[in-house]
Amino acid sequence: MRVLVTGGAGFIGSHVVEALTARGHEAIVFDVRDDPGADVRNPAAVARALGGVDAVCHQAAMVGLGVGFSDAAEYVSRNDLGTAVLLAAMAEAGVGRLVLAGSMVVYGEGRYECPRHGVVRPGPRAVAGLEAGRFEPVCPVCGADLAPGLVAEDAPADPRNVYATTKLAQEHLAAAWARSTGGSAVALRYHNVYGPRMPRDTPYAGVAALFRSALARGEAPRVFEDGRQRRDFVHVRDVAAANAVALETQAEPGALTAYNTGSGEPHTVGEMARALAEAYGGPEPVVTGEFRLGDVRHITADSARLRADLGWKAEIGFPEGMREFARAGMRGA
């Protein structure tokens, strides 16, 4: 199969290219890092790249929480306009298979259960509570403490920042393309992906990259809030394998199917920082109590549907992955 990989020179995309090549496919890299003209917002460049292509793996995106709302127009341009241009070109070229790099951020806060009111959805956290160190969401009905759980793909979307909003819009665009053309679309909702070639020293990087960059500078990783926020850290090679499997499996025509893509082993951010610092050889992390308003407290999702439908499961465990990541090379932003 001949697969166009947008963002194929980036962190996740480069691993997808390797995974596809190892499985006997031809991966065509389309990335502004290699060629400034290879921008998914450039209709002519995209149309040329789609020649002879069987499927598209769309990894190109502006990622991370960013530095403020002033980033909003750039996020929308790169993620949503870029996706719209790509999908329009695919419709014109008759390319009918898409795998989209989605994100668990579309859910907003994760799944919570109140002992009195069952499953509830807490609203956005308030600045006053965060400044006072009240990081845990409470029941919106009675104010009781909540127990976090795993989110399934049918949970309602509730994006809490600009990046999350654009990732949800990408899914809606892909679904509209599939309905209009009869094509098949899969959105892999990534958890916190980490591993070799993560970008370093950029405010748009994930928390694992920020911690690893700090350690490389001889500085202690700075853990926001109290470090007890739960995430699912999934290795980039496992995510690349999920993309390859999704491309090889004929999804339902005329629709988009979403799959949570995580390790299935939730860990706190503090646990991750300690494991990484220990593997690197220090310094020990510092829990700061700082916060970012766009962050959510707990988000871990159930990846059982991906295992059941496509036979994929994460192979690289947390301790092994952190030991490798502690010594792995990183790339510039």
Side-chain angles (χ1 to χ4, degrees), residues 185-206:
V186 170
L188 298 176
R189 292 174 176 170
Y190 301 159
H191 279 260
N192 289 67
V193 186
Y194 73 96
R197 301 178 215 145
M198 283 198 88
R200 62 176 180 270
D201 298 326
T202 166
Y204 300 95

Side-chain angles (χ1 to χ4, degrees), residues 93-286:
V95 179
R97 185 176 297 190
L98 171 73
V99 172
L100 171 69
S103 176
M104 53 81 191
V105 296
V106 301
Y107 298 119
E109 284 287 353
R111 184 182 187 275
Y112 293 90
E113 190 164 349
C114 171
R116 291 181 58 193
H117 297 100
V119 176
V120 296
R121 292 190 64 79
R125 297 184 294 174
V127 171
L130 293 168
E131 289 178 339
R134 295 192 298 272
F135 302 122
E136 294 287 350
V138 296
C139 177
V141 181
C142 67
D145 292 340
L146 300 173
L150 299 179
V151 180
E153 288 88 350
D154 58 358
D158 186 16
R160 300 288 175 96
N161 56 60
V162 171
Y163 170 61
T165 302
T166 65
K167 296 307 289 183
L168 182 59
Q170 284 184 301
E171 289 194 13
H172 287 316
L173 286 165
W177 164 83
R179 285 193 297 272
S180 175
T181 65
S184 64
V186 170
L188 298 176
R189 292 174 176 170
Y190 301 159
H191 279 260
N192 289 67
V193 186
Y194 73 96
R197 301 178 215 145
M198 283 198 88
R200 62 176 180 270
D201 298 326
T202 166
Y204 300 95
V207 66
L210 296 175
F211 291 168
R212 175 66 172 75
S213 296
L215 290 165
R217 296 191 302 268
E219 300 172 4
R222 294 176 61 82
V223 180
F224 280 14
E225 301 186 17
D226 57 4
R228 296 176 184 170
Q229 54 271 49
R230 287 160 50 99
R231 298 290 188 270
D232 183 326
F233 299 98
V234 58
H235 196 280
V236 66
R237 288 197 298 274
D238 284 328
V239 167
N243 276 273
V245 170
L247 285 161
E248 292 168 348
T249 304
Q250 182 61 56
E252 179 183 355
L256 177 138
T257 305
Y259 291 107
N260 294 328
T261 309
S263 71
E265 299 179 1
H267 292 273
T268 68
V269 172
E271 284 178 319
M272 188 272 286
R274 289 190 296 273
L276 190 56
E278 181 179 351
Y280 192 85
E284 287 294 310
V286 174

